[in-house]
Amino acid sequence: MGADNQTWVREFILLGLSSDWATQVALFVLFSVTYLLTLLGNVLIVLLIRLDSRLHTPMYFFLTNLSLVDVSYATSIVPQMLVHFLAEHKGIPYVSCAAQLFFSLGLGGIEFVLLAVMAYDRYVAVCDPLRYSVIMHGGLCARLAVTSWVSGSVNSLVQTTITFQLPMCTNKYIDHISCELLAVVRLACVDTSSNEVAIMVSSIVLLMTPFCLVLLSYIRIISTILMIQSTEGRRKAFHTCASHLTVVVLCYGMAIFTYIQPNPSPSVLQEKLISLFYAILTPMLNPMIYSLRNKEVKGAWQKLLGQLSGLTSKLAA
C-alpha cells in the first residue's frame, strides 16, 4: 500500500458485542473470570507435565504445545477486549490491529496443524504400539512441533501482509470483537475477490488438509479398535484417544463452519460468537477435557496434591 493510503486510517474502532454500559460491565466480569480460568488451567497443565516424569511422553509434549498456543491465542484477543468493555473510546491503532490479526490467525493455524500431529501420535500409539517409542522419538516430535509453529506463522504473515495492503479509505469501524481477518477485509474500498481466494486457499491448506489427516488417522484407529477382541482392550484403546477427539471436534467444527462454506457467509453475530468460542471457551475447556478424561493426568494431580499435603503437614508440625 502506498504512503498516501496509509494515512487514510490511523486507527480502527471495534464495535464489540454491545453498546449498552450495563451489558458491557457484565461481560467484563464474565470474561475476566473466564480468562483467569484459562490462564490458570493451561499453566497448571504445563507445570504438571514438567514436574511429573510419567508425563514426559510425546503425547504430553504436544499437549504442552497446545496449552501454550491456547494461552497465547486468548491473550492476543481477550485483554484488549476487556479494556474496551470499560473504555469510552474503543479504538485500536493500525499497527496494533495488524499485530493482533497476525498473532490470532497464526496461533489458530498452529493449533489446527498441532491437532493433526497429535492425531498421528494417537494413530501410532493404537495401531503400532510395539514400535511407538521407536517411531515417536524426540527428534521427530520436535520437528513436528516446529512444523506446526512455522506453518501457522508463515500463513499468518502472508495473510496479514496482503490484508493490510488493501486501501481502507475512510472505513475504520470494525464490526467485531477483534481485528479478525474477514472483518478487516470487509473494510477495503476496492475489490477483494483476490483476498477471498487467498483466504479460501489458505483455509484448504491449513485447515482442511490437517482435518483430512485427522480423519484418516481416526479411520485407521477405529478400524484397529474394532479388531480388538476383548471389550476391556477396546475400552482402553478408545480412552487413549477420547480427549484428543473431543478437542478436535470442538476446534475444527467451528473453523470449517466459518471459513469453508458456500455463500452466504455467516452473519456478523455468528462470526463474533465463533471468535469468542476460540478466544475464551476452547482455551478454557482444553485443559479441563484432558484433566477430567485422562487417567494419567488425574493420577499426576493426585500425586502432586498428596506431595503438597504432606509438605503442608510437615510445615505445620
Side-chain angles (χ1 to χ4, degrees):
M1 184 167 62
D4 292 339
N5 288 346
Q6 290 186 28
T7 63
W8 293 352
V9 177
R10 294 184 181 275
E11 72 167 3
F12 297 101
I13 306 297
L14 292 166
L15 298 182
L17 291 171
S18 173
S19 58
D20 179 70
W21 173 248
T23 302
Q24 291 184 77
V25 171
L27 290 173
F28 173 83
V29 174
L30 174 63
F31 294 150
S32 294
V33 172
T34 307
Y35 180 58
L36 290 175
L37 289 174
T38 296
L39 293 180
L40 181 63
N42 284 286
V43 169
L44 285 176
I45 282 285
V46 172
L47 288 176
L48 186 68
I49 292 171
R50 293 287 298 171
L51 293 172
D52 197 314
S53 59
R54 294 174 300 178
L55 302 182
H56 293 175
T57 64
M59 174 181 174
Y60 295 105
F61 168 72
F62 295 129
L63 180 56
T64 298
N65 278 265
L66 184 65
S67 290
L68 292 174
V69 169
D70 282 339
V71 167
S72 301
Y73 187 89
T75 302
S76 72
I77 292 178
V78 178
Q80 167 260 310
M81 184 175 64
L82 293 176
V83 169
H84 280 192
F85 279 139
L86 302 182
E88 184 176 349
H89 180 68
K90 305 181 189 302
I92 180 170
Y94 184 94
V95 174
S96 299
C97 186
Q100 184 180 64
L101 175 58
F102 170 75
F103 284 110
S104 60
L105 187 62
L107 291 162
I110 293 166
E111 180 154 359
F112 294 136
V113 179
L114 194 57
L115 288 173
V117 169
M118 294 173 77
Y120 175 71
D121 172 70
R122 294 299 83 204
Y123 159 74
V124 177
V126 173
C127 300
D128 201 358
L130 297 179
R131 298 177 60 234
Y132 177 75
S133 59
V134 176
I135 297 173
M136 300 302 297
H137 56 84
L140 177 63
C141 292
R143 287 195 295 272
L144 290 172
V146 169
T147 299
S148 302
W149 285 84
V150 170
S151 58
S153 300
V154 169
N155 172 71
S156 181
L157 180 61
V158 172
Q159 290 292 339
T160 303
T161 301
I162 63 175
T163 297
F164 279 88
Q165 284 181 342
L166 291 169
M168 304 298 176
C169 304
T170 56
N171 298 334
K172 65 177 183 177
Y173 291 94
I174 300 178
D175 193 4
H176 212 279
I177 62 170
S178 67
C179 292
E180 195 267 344
L181 180 60
L182 296 176
V184 175
V185 168
R186 277 197 292 265
L187 296 184
C189 54
V190 295
D191 178 52
T192 60
S193 56
S194 60
N195 292 77
E196 290 166 9
V197 170
I199 293 171
M200 179 63 71
V201 170
S202 71
S203 297
I204 291 172
V205 172
L206 211 62
L207 175 57
M208 292 309 296
T209 301
F211 176 72
C212 289
L213 293 174
V214 170
L215 202 59
L216 288 172
S217 296
Y218 273 100
I219 289 172
R220 293 294 301 275
I221 288 170
I222 291 170
S223 63
T224 300
I225 290 175
L226 293 177
M227 291 171 63
I228 298 174
Q229 297 298 319
S230 68
T231 303
E232 180 65 16
R234 286 197 298 270
R235 189 190 65 80
K236 286 183 178 179
F238 180 76
H239 190 77
T240 301
C241 308
S243 299
H244 177 257
L245 188 58
T246 305
V247 173
V248 163
V249 171
L250 285 173
C251 290
Y252 281 108
M254 282 291 186
I256 291 172
F257 176 79
T258 306
Y259 293 104
I260 307 290
Q261 64 170 326
N263 289 327
S265 297
S267 68
V268 172
L269 177 59
Q270 285 176 321
E271 287 182 9
K272 291 180 183 180
L273 293 176
I274 290 168
S275 293
L276 284 173
F277 178 85
Y278 278 111
I280 293 178
L281 196 58
T282 300
M284 183 183 71
L285 288 178
N286 284 354
M288 294 183 183
I289 291 169
Y290 277 99
S291 296
L292 296 175
R293 297 186 63 89
N294 193 298
K295 288 184 178 180
E296 292 173 322
V297 175
K298 286 192 284 188
W301 278 123
Q302 291 169 358
K303 178 184 175 182
L304 180 60
L305 291 174
Q307 291 174 340
L308 292 175
S309 178
L311 181 61
T312 303
S313 299
K314 289 179 181 179
L315 292 174

